[in-house]
């Protein structure tokens, strides 16, 4: 009887309320909801806010889709979704994971608090877990969501959550700020800080909001590693099958959560919404009302360049000043009209580990027409007892014609053992092993060959997944020094030096 009475009451109130249409529009459109609750902030003159709102709603409604695993994600309208994706299977892949990288003070976290309200208004069956940097920030996020739902109308001109979703209310007696339920539900919301306990609670909507505190933490590999471990071991385990996942953050580092995801096998499953404060091509700001060009330049003058780029341009701090700005890729090796591989020779360059903290870097490449196509990489800090048989196998498998192995710091003995293993294990002497002493300055060699590397060396299109450590080492290598390791860049430089001509080096054998 109570349910019937509630429905009749709501229908009667709606029929006699001149604002019914706009409330109905706010139920159907998250952007309309934002504008209704805070028209001074969510204005049509701030299109980036509308993009955020419409992207979030498309994620919730399953309208970010693609036809195949290799297709790009695309946002469809409701009508297009029904028309184009009428069936199911491989032609109906739905995105459930959104990555938002947007400058500070541009409304991304505010939008997420309203989005959480809106989703709970849409269905009291939704269960949300939000995670912020610490308990203080998580409480702030939780309070904004809860207080918005629980708001009391004190001015007829103000629109509140209850106007749009009149039948949705906080359960009586649930006074906690960080964990509570709506009427008729056992659990609807939990807010916690990174590292917090969420055991025993599951959700169909998981939100991570600004997990990195500041630049100091962005440079702290141990802190970022702890976040990643907690994310994988704790947070992800609380997500129910088919759950929506949103990571909202400034791109601080290639080792932050977004960076780790983008370099993992799961990267294609994520939709990226990235916005820069300043568009260098057009010379325009993302939202001049929130951050003018004058204010932007003033902030840049008092900030270090890498921090400014991370905060406002979504360029990770450990990528600023990187040497290799672009590296080319290939989907298949060069072949003739009959499908035969075009290769003048297959070469290998191996930079052995100088110390216990260094990595061995060994690269196989096919040489053709002055270009190099990387086919295999061994990049590891394991001891020589492990890497010697690994390299012997790699040289044999790829039919390498000639292998150049640095003799510095034990390299000559390493090379002899690789030759012995190739004969003993594979009965092969098809690879000529040349050892040499490298006396040139390493940094100078790397810099001098960097342009050739970017123009004439090609990597497999999935090389970030195949060799993640090698990929990270190259993509974070800085031109002006200060690099912790240079093994990957040195190995790649060795390949460049041997394409088309012999390098000027002192051969020992």
């Amino acid at each position: 009887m109570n349910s019937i009475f509630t429905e009749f009451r709501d229908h009667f109130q709606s029929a006699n309320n001149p604002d019914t249409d706009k409330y109905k529009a706010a139920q159907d459109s998250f952007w309309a909801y934002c504008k209704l609750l805070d028209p001074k902030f969510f204005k049509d003159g701030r299109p980036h806010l509308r993009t955020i709102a419409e992207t979030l709603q498309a994620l919730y409604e399953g309208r970010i889709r693609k036809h195949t695993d290799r297709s790009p994600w695309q946002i469809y309208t409701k009508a297009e979704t029904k028309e184009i994706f009428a069936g199911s299977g491989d032609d109906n892949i739905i995105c459930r994971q959104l990555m938002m990288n947007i400058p500070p003070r541009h409304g991304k976290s505010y939008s997420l608090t309203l989005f959480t309200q809106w989703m709970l208004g849409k269905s009291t069956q939704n269960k949300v877990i939000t995670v912020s940097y610490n308990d203080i920030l998580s409480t702030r996020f939780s309070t904004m969501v809860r207080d918005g739902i629980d708001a009391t109308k004190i001015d007829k001109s103000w629109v509140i959550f209850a106007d749009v979703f009149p039948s949705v209310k906080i359960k009586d007696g649930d006074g906690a700020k960080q964990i509570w339920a709506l009427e008729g539900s056992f659990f609807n919301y939990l807010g916690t800080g990174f590292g917090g306990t969420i055991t025993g609670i599951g959700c169909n909507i998981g939100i991570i909001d600004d997990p990195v505190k500041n630049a100091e933490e962005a440079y702290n590999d141990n802190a970022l590693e702890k976040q990643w471990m907690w994310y994988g071991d704790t947070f992800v385990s609380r997500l129910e099958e088919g759950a929506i996942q949103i990571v909202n953050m400034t791109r601080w580092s290639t080792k932050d959560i977004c960076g780790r995801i983008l370099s993992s096998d799961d990267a294609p499953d994520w939709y990226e919404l990235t916005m820069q404060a300043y568009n260098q091509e057009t010379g325009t700001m993302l939202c001049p009302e929130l951050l003018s060009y004058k204010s932007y330049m003033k902030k840049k003058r008092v900030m270090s360049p890498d921090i400014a780029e991370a905060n406002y341009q979504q360029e990770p701090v450990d990528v600023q000043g990187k040497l290799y700005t672009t590296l080319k890729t290939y989907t298949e090796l060069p072949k003739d009209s009959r499908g035969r591989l075009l290769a003048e020779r297959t070469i290998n360059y191996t930079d052995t580990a100088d110390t216990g903290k260094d990595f061995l870097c060994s690269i196989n490449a096919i040489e053709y027409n002055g270009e190099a196509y990387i086919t295999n990489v061994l990049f590891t800090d394991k001891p020589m007892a492990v890497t010697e048989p690994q390299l012997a196998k790699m040289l044999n498998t790829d039919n390498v014609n000639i292998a150049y192995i640095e003799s510095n710091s034990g390299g000559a003995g390493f090379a002899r053992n690789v030759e012995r293993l190739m004969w003993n294990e594979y009965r092969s002497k098809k690879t000529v092993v040349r050892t040499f002493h490298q006396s040139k300055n390493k940094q100078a060699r790397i810099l001098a060959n960097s342009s050739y590397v970017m123009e004439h060396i090609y990597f497999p299109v999935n090389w970030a997944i195949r060799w993640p450590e090698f990929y990270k080492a190259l993509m974070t290598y800085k031109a002006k020094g200060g690099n912790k390791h240079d093994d990957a860049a040195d190995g790649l430089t060795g390949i460049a030096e041997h394409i088309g001509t012999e390098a000027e080096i002192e051969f020992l054998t």
Side-chain angles (χ1 to χ4, degrees), residues 211-226:
V212 179
K213 180 182 180 182
N214 52 28
E216 182 179 353
E217 190 165 281
Y219 283 114
N220 188 328
D221 287 354
N222 290 333
L224 296 177
E225 180 67 21
K226 286 180 181 178

Side-chain angles (χ1 to χ4, degrees), residues 318-325 442-447 450 470-490 493:
D318 52 355
V319 176
Q320 302 308 311
K322 65 181 181 180
L323 178 61
Y324 304 114
T325 54
K442 186 179 293 188
Q443 178 72 358
R445 289 174 49 244
I446 291 171
L447 293 175
S450 60
F470 178 69
Y471 173 86
K472 290 178 185 177
L474 284 179
M475 298 310 293
T476 59
Y477 188 85
K478 295 186 177 182
K480 294 184 179 180
N483 300 288
K484 189 175 181 180
H485 296 288
D486 53 19
D487 313 291
D490 188 31
T493 298

